[in-house]
Amino acid sequence: NNHLQGTITPEIELLDSLRVLNLSENKLHGTLPVEVSNLMYLEEALFAKNDLTGTIPNFMNTYGFPLKKLSLAYNLFDGTLPDLSHLKKMTHLDFSYNKDLTGAIPASWGELQELRGLFLSGNGLSGFLPQRLGDLKNLRDLRLSGNG
């Protein structure tokens, strides 16, 4: 546990060779800056256990992003889950315990063929499990408890 405080500034994009960005377990607040999308080699983006707010940013829709692990767990994100189907290398996706994430799991997530772990517990998700999740042959860990 560190005690970094404040916001994540747009200057984060200057770290353009990063493969792993782990800012978990700090006291960061505010939204994720769109400039994170300029980190074109980023494979792991870990922001769990902070006080980050807002909707899950659209910058995750950058095509060609080599992102494999994305953790936004234990924050204060709200809104619906974004379409991440273009992140073909994604192996672990953790949006657990944001409690104000609502709506359904996007059916398009069934295209994330490399996905091994999907963690969505402790949110306000509703609806049916998309049938296409059954196409995830590599999925080993699915956690959906405490929704609704």
Side-chain angles (χ1 to χ4, degrees):
N1 293 350
N2 290 312
H3 298 286
L4 297 178
Q5 298 180 34
T7 60
I8 302 169
T9 65
E11 289 77 18
I12 193 84
E13 74 179 339
L14 299 175
L15 302 171
D16 58 1
S17 295
L18 278 183
R19 299 216 185 267
V20 176
L21 176 58
N22 187 347
L23 294 174
S24 297
E25 298 188 48
N26 282 293
K27 296 178 181 180
L28 300 172
H29 59 86
T31 59
L32 285 176
V34 69
E35 287 79 6
V36 173
S37 67
N38 295 333
L39 300 173
M40 295 309 297
Y41 300 105
L42 197 61
E43 295 178 8
E44 295 184 22
L46 310 173
F47 300 98
K49 296 184 180 178
N50 281 291
D51 292 317
L52 299 172
T53 59
T55 58
I56 295 174
N58 287 333
F59 70 79
M60 296 299 178
N61 291 331
T62 303
Y63 288 82
F65 223 43
L67 203 55
K68 295 178 183 177
K69 293 183 180 181
L70 175 60
S71 179
L72 302 176
Y74 294 94
N75 277 290
L76 304 170
F77 289 102
D78 58 26
T80 58
L81 298 172
D83 177 8
L84 301 174
S85 61
H86 58 280
L87 297 175
K88 302 296 184 194
K89 296 181 181 182
M90 185 66 68
T91 62
H92 293 84
L93 189 55
D94 189 352
F95 293 164
S96 299
Y97 299 100
N98 279 283
K99 76 179 174 180
D100 288 327
L101 287 176
T102 59
I105 299 169
S108 61
W109 286 12
E111 297 174 30
L112 299 173
Q113 292 299 307
E114 298 301 317
L115 199 62
R116 290 184 291 218
L118 178 58
F119 310 100
L120 298 171
S121 296
N123 289 300
L125 301 177
S126 59
F128 296 98
L129 282 178
Q131 186 174 357
R132 290 175 65 188
L133 288 184
D135 296 335
L136 299 175
K137 303 300 181 202
N138 291 311
L139 191 63
R140 301 290 180 259
D141 199 348
L142 176 62
R143 299 182 192 192
L144 303 172
S145 63
N147 276 288

